[in-house]
Amino acid sequence: MLEAFRVGMIGRSGTLFDGFEAAFRDGDIWLVTGPPASGKSRLLAVLHGDGRPDAGDVMFDGVPLYRGTPDAASRFRSTAGLVDEMIDAGEHSVGELFRLASLVAGGVPETERKAREAALLSMVGLPGSSDYAFRSLSMSEQVRASLAIELFRGPRVLLLDAPFARIGKEWTEMLSALFRALAREGRIIVFTEREIPPLFPMKPVKESTRCGPFLLTQLAAGSSVEAVG
Amino acid sequence: MNKASMIWIDWKLAGKSLAREWMNRFFMFFLLGGFLLLLLASHGINRFLSEQWVVNAVLRLNVSAAEGAGIASKARKLPAVRSVVYKDPEAAWSEFLADYPGLESLRLEGDNPVPGYLHIRLLPERLTAEDIAGVENALKPLPQVEKVFTGAKTLPRLLKVRGWVNLSLWVLFGILSSILFFMCVLQEAARARALRADFSFLAERGVSHAAIMTGRAVGSALVAGLLVLPAIGAAWLLSIAAAGRFPILSSVLGPVEEVVRSGGFPFVVLYLAAVPCLIFVASLYGWRASKIQTHRK
């Protein structure tokens, strides 16, 4: 379980958010919506263990990421994946990023890496894109490639910054289905959007709750029909 | 990711450029190791001076060749002595005639007027005022010895100059070592900067910067340890081959085997141990110099 306790962040123009509290259980899908410049990306970085909050703490399975042992955040990041809004992959090709991901995973044999890489890229609709420079991909392709790269390590927690806004309508259904499948495997999925996209295929489990500038909505991990029911 | 796999992270990310870098470093280890071996074998300029500096002991006229040879063998046993050449009166007379032809008439009136003598050379590391005085004190009381010429008047100044020259050579070695160290720091910093995006990728996925930093440093130290031994070995072999081809090198710089005999071996071991340690520190400095941020701003 990933929990945020009274997390606060101060931006250049003052307090971004304060007293943010949430508990994301295994198998949950959560959507965090908020207006532009409300600190959604900063919140994801904090939840990812990659941006120390000015107040509060984040705990994963009862272990504090920031006010506990120094390497707690690093250990958490090894089990979590973050698909940023701004993806800086330098000059790397998609295949090279998979190679880096395999190094993080402790060194996966070349043949196994290539097989998994091909399967994941096919799953996100990018078969045969290994040799393409990451920056040459379209925004939608970058989001999908990034997601595939993060999934390579099989993260327990997946954090995504505005994925539906960038992925394009034609891939919305695929991404929703993927989120549900991952949640059914017990993974925690938290993603941000400015607002709930129109014709969004995932249904809320219950009423959204407001937490500072953010609106937190838990989405159904089962099929949309089950969720509505 | 385990820390062991971080040791070779640079090789996995930039193997080709790293191989070129290590080829350069191998060459530097070779040059520096060769310089150290020559310094140890020659004892700075001690060997050159010990070759030039000769203590002459002139024997009395009535000393026979057998007696002279006996004194020479005793002189050889003195601890500071490297070599003793004995010229009996007949050989000394021949040398005299070679140097001053036309004076054969000096011998017509009687016996050989030229006495025998000893040419004594000291060990390079024992060419000191005390050791020269020791040789003089050992030979002077002998009744067969007429006079001992040590050049004691000019010796102190010469030894002073020798001390400064030797110190300068070691300072030069230190400067070359420092240049190698800073070159390695710059190389490590440049590589860390070039791989910054990759390290950030790893760090964002749970590999701590400390693990990357220490892993890289340990990896560099291991490769340095593996390369410095063959580098100094190659320098050793080249010295032997060069001495075989150009004998003058042996007399000025000395045979490399001399390093072991004269107690220089611990310096070689120290060099072998110091190079990986310095490369380890260079890698850490290089990481710091690359200013890779450990946290997202």
Side-chain angles (χ1 to χ4, degrees), chain A:
Chain A
M1 185 160 75
L2 184 66
E3 298 163 283
F5 290 102
R6 305 201 60 75
V7 172
M9 287 293 282
I10 298 168
R12 286 189 187 134
S13 55
T15 303
L16 276 174
F17 55 86
D18 196 17
F20 178 86
E21 292 205 316
F24 309 113
R25 291 177 180 79
D26 292 357
D28 278 1
I29 306 174
W30 284 88
L31 167 63
V32 180
T33 48
S38 58
K40 299 186 294 296
S41 301
R42 297 286 293 273
L43 176 65
L44 280 187
V46 170
L47 292 175
H48 188 229
D50 199 18
R52 192 180 184 85
D54 297 306
D57 203 350
V58 176
M59 294 180 90
F60 182 64
D61 288 347
V63 178
L65 302 190
Y66 296 104
R67 285 161 179 84
T69 55
D71 62 338
S74 286
R75 270 192 277 116
F76 169 68
R77 284 202 299 273
S78 67
T79 64
L82 172 66
V83 177
D84 255 333
E85 190 173 14
M86 298 296 290
I87 300 164
D88 180 17
E91 299 297 326
H92 286 311
S93 68
V94 174
E96 284 167 345
L97 292 174
F98 269 101
R99 190 162 162 266
L100 280 172
S102 79
L103 290 175
V104 179
V108 180
E110 185 79 355
T111 48
E112 185 190 335
R113 175 177 71 79
K114 289 203 166 168
R116 283 170 61 189
E117 178 185 321
L120 284 165
L121 286 175
S122 293
M123 188 182 76
V124 296
L126 292 169
S129 58
S130 281
D131 297 331
Y132 286 88
F134 187 87
R135 62 164 52 171
S136 73
L137 302 178
S138 70
M139 187 177 281
S140 167
E141 288 167 341
Q142 284 190 3
V143 173
R144 284 179 280 139
S146 258
L147 181 58
I149 290 161
E150 293 305 326
L151 289 176
F152 182 86
R153 292 179 297 120
R156 278 186 62 194
V157 179
L158 194 58
L159 306 161
L160 305 98
D161 201 0
F164 285 96
R166 292 180 293 144
I167 201 167
K169 284 178 189 168
E170 61 271 37
W171 296 102
T172 301
E173 190 62 53
M174 181 280 290
L175 192 60
S176 305
L178 183 60
F179 282 2
R180 284 196 291 267
L182 291 170
R184 280 198 291 272
E185 288 176 4
R187 301 178 206 277
I188 301 167
I189 295 168
V190 180
F191 64 100
T192 63
E193 296 289 345
R194 284 188 185 173
E195 55 193 14
I196 297 176
L199 302 173
F200 192 56
M202 301 175 79
K203 301 299 174 196
V205 173
K206 54 188 176 187
E207 281 294 302
S208 302
T209 53
R210 179 156 291 283
C211 190
F214 308 119
L215 203 60
L216 270 75
T217 309
Q218 188 183 359
L219 301 169
S223 68
S224 55
V225 176
E226 284 169 357
V228 171

